[in-house]
Amino acid sequence: MDKAEALNKMKILVQKLNEASKAYYQEDQEIMSNLEYDKLYEELEKLESSTGIQLTESPTAKVGYEAVEGLEKVSHEVPLLSLDKTKAIAKLVDFLGEHAGLLSWKLDGLTIVLIYENGVLVQAVTRGNGSVGEDVTHNARTFKNIPLRIPYTKRLLVRGEAVITYEDFETINSVITDETDKYKNPRNLCSGTVRQLDSSIAAERPIRYYAFSILAQNDVNQNDQKSKLNFDLKSHQLTFLSDIGFEVVEHLLSTKESVKEDVSAFRKKLSDLGMPSDGLVLTYDEIQYSISLGSTSKFPKDALAFKWADELVETTLRYIEWNTSRTGLINPIAVFDPIEIEGTTVNKAGLHNVSIVRQLELGENDKITVYKANMIIPQVAENKTRSNTALLPEKCPVCQGSTEILKQKGGKSDADGEIGEVLYCLNPSCQAQLIGSLVHFCSRNAMNIEGLSEQTLEKWVDRGFVSDYTDIFALESYEDKITQMEGFGQKSFNNLMTSIERAKDVPLANFIFALGIKHVGLSNAKLLCEQFGDIETIIEKSQDIDALLSIKGFGEAIANSLQVYFADTKNLAMLEKIKDTLRIKSAKKIDSEALPGKLQGLTFVITGSVNHFNNRKALQAFIEEHDGKCTGSVSASTSYLINNDTDSSSSKNKKAQSLEIPILTETMFLDLIRGH
């Protein structure tokens, strides 16, 4: 079996073993026997040993989640310059001349450099400004397809792109019911995920990495016969990266005679690519020739970015549709005469907010041009008429309640963090908001009540069965009426009652998330619950802004939102009404013999997996409860490094050893605080 076959076999084994583990541990199903699992596991271990490759998703890889205090700035060893751009194929022809080129996708994600030493991933750094990036190693280790270990022991710097597919983007956005919290595009989602301080968040999101070059070839000793990296061509670099476990960007060799046809072939594939691409990259294949060209102050001279020329189609705007979301945000959508763009028929395009409507000076029957951003998402490019006659609704389109224009700093939904104007419905009893909040309350990551679709909830709200989330747990009183409804017989009703009864056993974090508090997603709800433990304490501490801001990752927006929600007497009344109905599982607290103040003045760094505590966050919370401090990286100010694998060759262990900082197991740590 050659290396390519072995690598492919490893990928198949990893998928099978992970499917079996998920079925067994999460779904209470056994899809293969223990004997078969062990046999496949041993086969995977042997292949990893023989190839020297260990994939990120491999069940043999023990990757603990890590939370860092902040993203450290890292200077790049090799500057990561941006590329000069063109939309003209003729320029690509001139660029190539008599040289062969390497043509590949220009993926629209986040550029990251992976650094390997002694065959192990030791650091991952974002591109940043090209000279200085951010250390995101803790998150890179959770990417779905990078090798944690490779069969090459010299220093290796790999440049590639981290991306999230359109399908995964839609899936992640679909469970975010607050329109203002939805991510604008896959690139924003990928960038925001990679730059999270807590790697457990990145681990939940399927980020993939595609390598496209090796940096600083001297670092891989191309003239060292032992290294076998005698690269003359960049295409050979990509073959090497593929052989040692990387997924490399799709590419082909191109010449001035073939480049026009090659670009066309890539463009035809774009709709099936499944991930964002804003063009192609053309670079000379010959490495020494590339090096001889040097660079300008902005761009390398050996590569050129080819940007897709957007297909602009003219149509007539018929009207602007305004949709009210669960939070009261009223979103504008341009509705126009159907047109064909990039192979599909479209008649709507999101306008994002009031500011965009005003900037385009839209009005009914205006002539507009429409394109697909990254050839996927319809957008209005230009308004040729600019009648500026579109009226902003003074009444909510759902409840006819009053509306208000608010200024909002951009984020996931707006471009580049700029201030934008948004339209809100001011009626808290708006049916659109009620239906949206009920759908969110019942959703999988919230109360997980199966059988309550948006359409069903609308019918029950209309009939007066449900006026807020507490009424869901009193639906048995409407059994006769519900079972007589079309499409909802006795069996469906019984199944629903079973699902509602099951949902009464709910973890505190899922319940907090179900309440739909603005800016409080599931990950923030978990942090809140880990800090305060039970619902009564959360209500009490919600009015203490300083206490809320002390939670890592919590800013003023989250703190203010929690304070407003739990100060509302209507919300408190619903909580009081339902508290005896639900069986809310409070967050676990760690008991110990440690005395308050025992850890005062000590600074800890935690790495690796933990055994005595639920997770590293629980251990961190325990340390901070006893006046200790936790940071994400080892430095001269670190008092102790906690790692159950004291002999690990990890970068943190090495740094601690070089600074003569003690490395403790959990047992040693507990002995320390107990004074043993």
Side-chain angles (χ1 to χ4, degrees):
M1 186 184 299
D2 63 25
K3 184 168 286 188
E5 291 175 327
L7 183 57
N8 188 55
K9 180 66 174 177
M10 288 164 61
K11 290 177 180 178
I12 293 171
L13 288 171
V14 166
Q15 181 179 354
K16 284 184 176 180
L17 290 167
N18 286 341
E19 285 175 355
S21 293
K22 181 181 179 182
Y24 186 82
Y25 290 107
Q26 297 179 29
E27 300 167 0
D28 293 326
Q29 298 179 34
E30 189 169 321
I31 62 175
M32 70 172 62
S33 66
N34 288 340
L35 184 65
E36 184 182 0
Y37 183 93
D38 292 342
K39 181 181 177 182
L40 296 180
Y41 190 94
E42 289 174 8
E43 184 180 359
L44 177 60
E45 284 186 314
K46 288 177 182 177
L47 287 171
E48 288 179 342
S49 177
S50 64
T51 62
I53 298 171
Q54 185 182 48
L55 302 174
T56 321
E57 293 282 89
S58 173
T60 68
K62 303 297 183 184
V63 183
Y65 301 148
E66 182 178 355
V68 298
E69 194 168 70
L71 298 179
E72 295 184 8
K73 301 293 185 182
V74 178
S75 296
H76 288 294
E77 299 176 31
V78 180
L80 305 185
L81 301 178
S82 57
L83 299 179
D84 198 3
K85 301 173 181 64
T86 183
K87 290 187 176 182
I89 290 181
K91 190 168 181 179
L92 300 183
V93 174
D94 292 341
F95 174 83
L96 283 173
E98 301 305 314
H99 296 273
L102 200 63
L103 189 66
S104 62
W105 292 116
K106 185 176 184 295
L107 298 176
D108 192 15
L110 189 67
T111 300
I112 294 177
V113 175
L114 301 179
I115 302 173
Y116 290 80
E117 292 179 356
N118 298 315
V120 177
L121 175 66
V122 295
Q123 194 169 47
V125 185
T126 64
R127 179 182 179 275
N129 63 9
S131 299
V132 177
E134 293 174 312
D135 190 325
V136 292
T137 313
H138 62 302
N139 286 327
R141 291 194 177 103
T142 72
F143 291 178
K144 302 307 176 187
N145 65 332
I146 65 168
L148 298 176
R149 193 177 73 238
I150 58 175
Y152 180 77
T153 57
K154 297 183 183 298
R155 185 173 174 80
L156 184 68
L157 281 70
V158 181
R159 184 176 179 179
E161 198 83 356
V163 296
I164 287 179
T165 67
Y166 283 113
E167 182 180 359
D168 291 327
F169 167 73
E170 295 295 342
T171 299
I172 292 168
N173 252 1
S174 68
V175 298
I176 302 175
T177 50
D178 188 337
E179 291 294 325
T180 60
D181 283 344
K182 285 184 183 290
Y183 290 89
K184 185 178 178 182
N185 54 51
R187 187 191 185 283
N188 284 8
L189 173 58
C190 183
S191 177
T193 301
V194 171
R195 299 182 71 256
Q196 291 282 341
L197 299 181
D198 184 354
S199 68
S200 66
I201 297 172
E204 294 173 354
R205 296 173 180 172
I207 299 174
R208 304 192 71 82
Y209 182 86
Y210 293 90
F212 54 75
S213 68
I214 292 176
L215 292 176
Q217 188 164 328
N218 289 338
D219 284 348
V220 293
N221 303 306
Q222 68 166 3
N223 296 317
D224 183 348
Q225 294 301 315
K226 291 182 181 179
S227 73
K228 298 182 181 179
L229 295 186
N230 300 305
F231 297 132
D232 295 319
L233 304 175
K234 294 173 186 174
S235 54
H236 291 173
Q237 288 185 337
L238 294 180
T239 300
F240 166 74
L241 289 174
S242 180
D243 286 344
I244 63 173
F246 288 92
E247 287 192 51
V248 300
V249 67
E250 183 181 353
H251 58 281
L252 56 79
L253 290 174
S254 191
T255 64
K256 67 177 183 180
E257 290 81 16
S258 69
V259 67
K260 182 177 180 179
E261 187 176 315
D262 295 336
V263 169
S264 177
F266 269 104
R267 189 179 183 101
K268 289 176 182 176
K269 292 181 179 180
L270 185 59
S271 60
D272 297 322
L273 180 62
M275 63 186 80
S277 165
D278 53 356
L280 302 171
V281 173
L282 181 64
T283 181
Y284 297 116
D285 193 26
E286 187 182 348
I287 291 173
Q288 287 304 320
Y289 181 66
S290 287
I291 293 173
S292 71
L293 295 174
S295 63
T296 68
S297 59
K298 286 186 176 182
F299 311 119
K301 293 182 179 180
D302 71 322
L304 193 62
F306 176 78
K307 304 286 284 185
W308 302 120
D310 296 315
E311 181 183 354
L312 295 172
V313 181
E314 185 174 311
T315 185
T316 301
L317 177 69
R318 292 306 173 191
Y319 59 92
I320 296 175
E321 182 180 280
W322 297 86
N323 292 335
T324 307
S325 73
R326 174 178 68 84
T327 61
L329 178 66
I330 305 176
N331 301 295
I333 298 172
V335 181
F336 41 80
D337 289 343
I339 50 175
E340 189 88 8
I341 307 180
E342 307 291 355
T344 61
T345 302
V346 297
N347 72 331
K348 291 183 178 182
L351 294 169
H352 304 302
N353 56 34
V354 170
S355 299
I356 299 297
V357 175
R358 287 177 167 168
Q359 287 167 16
L360 290 169
E361 297 180 333
L362 294 170
E364 291 184 7
N365 300 316
D366 281 359
K367 297 296 181 182
I368 61 174
T369 56
V370 179
Y371 72 103
K372 281 188 176 180
N374 283 343
M375 299 175 70
I376 299 290
I377 305 170
Q379 301 283 308
V380 176
E382 183 185 5
N383 180 8
K384 294 186 174 182
T385 309
R386 292 193 170 270
S387 67
N388 200 26
T389 57
L391 299 176
L392 304 183
E394 296 180 356
K395 302 291 183 182
C396 169
V398 174
C399 71
Q400 300 305 305
S402 299
T403 62
E404 181 181 11
I405 295 175
L406 302 175
K407 290 189 179 295
Q408 177 173 293
K409 185 169 178 60
K412 298 173 188 173
S413 316
D414 294 305
D416 304 322
E418 296 176 354
I419 298 294
E421 291 183 317
V422 292
L423 188 68
Y424 271 92
C425 169
L426 298 179
N427 176 17
S429 300
C430 174
Q431 187 173 3
Q433 296 182 54
L434 173 59
I435 298 297
S437 66
L438 291 173
V439 170
H440 172 77
F441 184 83
C442 298
S443 63
R444 181 169 57 87
N445 288 329
M447 299 300 290
N448 193 22
I449 303 176
E450 298 177 3
L452 280 182
S453 67
E454 182 173 350
Q455 293 76 12
T456 299
L457 287 166
E458 284 178 356
K459 291 176 183 176
W460 291 351
V461 169
D462 287 342
R463 286 167 170 78
F465 299 168
V466 176
S467 59
D468 60 55
Y469 69 81
T470 66
D471 292 334
I472 291 172
F473 299 93
L475 284 170
E476 68 273 8
S477 61
Y478 297 101
E479 179 176 358
D480 291 343
K481 293 180 180 179
I482 291 174
T483 53
Q484 291 172 18
M485 288 171 58
E486 184 179 350
F488 215 96
Q490 189 65 50
K491 184 176 180 180
S492 296
F493 181 81
N494 292 342
N495 289 339
L496 176 60
M497 289 301 104
T498 300
S499 182
I500 290 174
E501 184 61 32
R502 189 187 303 122
K504 290 179 182 178
D505 293 295
V506 58
L508 178 59
N510 296 80
F511 176 67
I512 294 296
F513 174 61
L515 296 177
I517 305 169
K518 192 173 182 181
H519 303 308
V520 181
L522 184 56
S523 58
N524 285 334
K526 287 178 179 178
L527 293 173
L528 182 72
C529 297
E530 287 173 4
Q531 182 77 6
F532 299 132
D534 56 64
I535 187 68
E536 289 79 13
T537 306
I538 288 174
I539 293 172
E540 176 190 344
K541 294 294 185 180
S542 67
Q543 304 310 302
D544 184 344
I545 292 293
D546 289 338
L548 294 174
L549 291 176
S550 70
I551 302 173
K552 284 192 185 335
F554 274 36
E556 289 186 4
I558 298 174
N560 290 336
S561 186
L562 286 164
Q563 185 182 51
V564 169
Y565 185 89
F566 289 111
D568 189 312
T569 55
K570 181 180 177 182
N571 293 333
L572 292 177
M574 286 191 288
L575 288 170
E576 183 66 25
K577 179 180 176 181
I578 203 173
K579 72 175 185 179
D580 294 330
T581 301
L582 300 181
R583 298 178 287 272
I584 300 175
K585 303 171 189 175
S586 296
K588 291 183 179 178
K589 292 273 189 176
I590 299 294
D591 295 325
S592 83
E593 303 166 19
L595 298 174
K598 185 78 175 181
L599 304 180
Q600 188 170 8
L602 299 180
T603 300
F604 295 84
V605 174
I606 308 166
T607 190
S609 58
V610 294
N611 304 317
H612 295 278
F613 294 80
N614 288 343
N615 49 46
R616 284 205 298 267
K617 280 186 179 173
L619 174 53
Q620 177 179 329
F622 174 80
I623 290 171
E624 292 172 348
E625 283 172 11
H626 295 87
D627 299 330
K629 180 182 177 184
C630 288
T631 61
S633 57
V634 177
S635 67
S637 62
T638 303
S639 306
Y640 297 98
L641 171 65
I642 300 176
N643 186 353
N644 282 320
D645 185 0
T646 57
D647 297 323
S648 166
S649 59
S650 69
S651 58
K652 283 188 172 66
N653 271 35
K654 288 180 180 178
K655 186 75 174 287
Q657 289 164 357
S658 68
L659 295 172
E660 297 184 350
I661 292 168
I663 303 174
L664 306 178
T665 64
E666 277 179 280
T667 302
M668 294 164 66
F669 166 73
L670 292 172
D671 286 344
L672 171 74
I673 61 175
R674 290 167 183 159
H676 293 173

